[in-house]
Amino acid sequence: MTPLFTLVAAPVLACFAGVLGSLGDKNGPPALCEEAMAENMCEEASLGVIGGHVVISSAMWLLLWVIPWWRGLRTVRVLLAVAATVVLVLLPVRMFNWSFSYT
């Protein structure tokens, strides 16, 4: 059940973090584009970060299926599932500017 729960829960939590991030963001470019703005490479920088997070999270999720289903390895599978979820949830955290202005 751990891989299936991760397959459902991780994207939902990442979307929830994205919605929270979009509430405070000011419709500008993503925060990670600040360095790439001078060369007009914001789209490439964003897609690179998105791709990296998705590939790492997917690889961890596939590794959940490779680990044997022995009872003694349950903790390892749960920790790997949590790590895969954290990697996916960190994507919107990196994308948005989380500093809220009070003006």
Side-chain angles (χ1 to χ4, degrees):
M1 290 301 291
T2 304
L4 297 176
F5 181 76
T6 305
L7 181 65
V8 174
V12 169
L13 290 173
C15 288
F16 183 70
V19 167
L20 286 178
S22 68
L23 292 176
D25 206 15
K26 300 178 193 73
N27 291 335
L32 57 96
C33 286
E34 292 172 1
E35 297 173 6
M37 284 296 244
E39 299 163 355
N40 198 16
M41 301 280 289
C42 184
E43 182 178 0
E44 289 83 358
S46 298
L47 289 176
V49 170
I50 291 169
H53 279 268
V54 169
V55 165
I56 292 170
S57 181
S58 298
M60 294 171 112
W61 182 76
L62 287 174
L63 191 59
L64 283 171
W65 290 99
V66 174
I67 295 175
W69 295 92
W70 301 330
R71 178 168 234 150
L73 294 175
R74 181 179 292 167
T75 305
V76 173
R77 284 195 313 273
V78 169
L79 289 175
L80 188 60
V82 169
T85 303
V86 166
V87 167
L88 204 57
V89 169
L90 284 178
L91 175 61
V93 170
R94 288 184 67 191
M95 291 291 289
F96 292 109
N97 183 6
W98 290 87
S99 61
F100 296 103
S101 66
Y102 296 105
T103 60

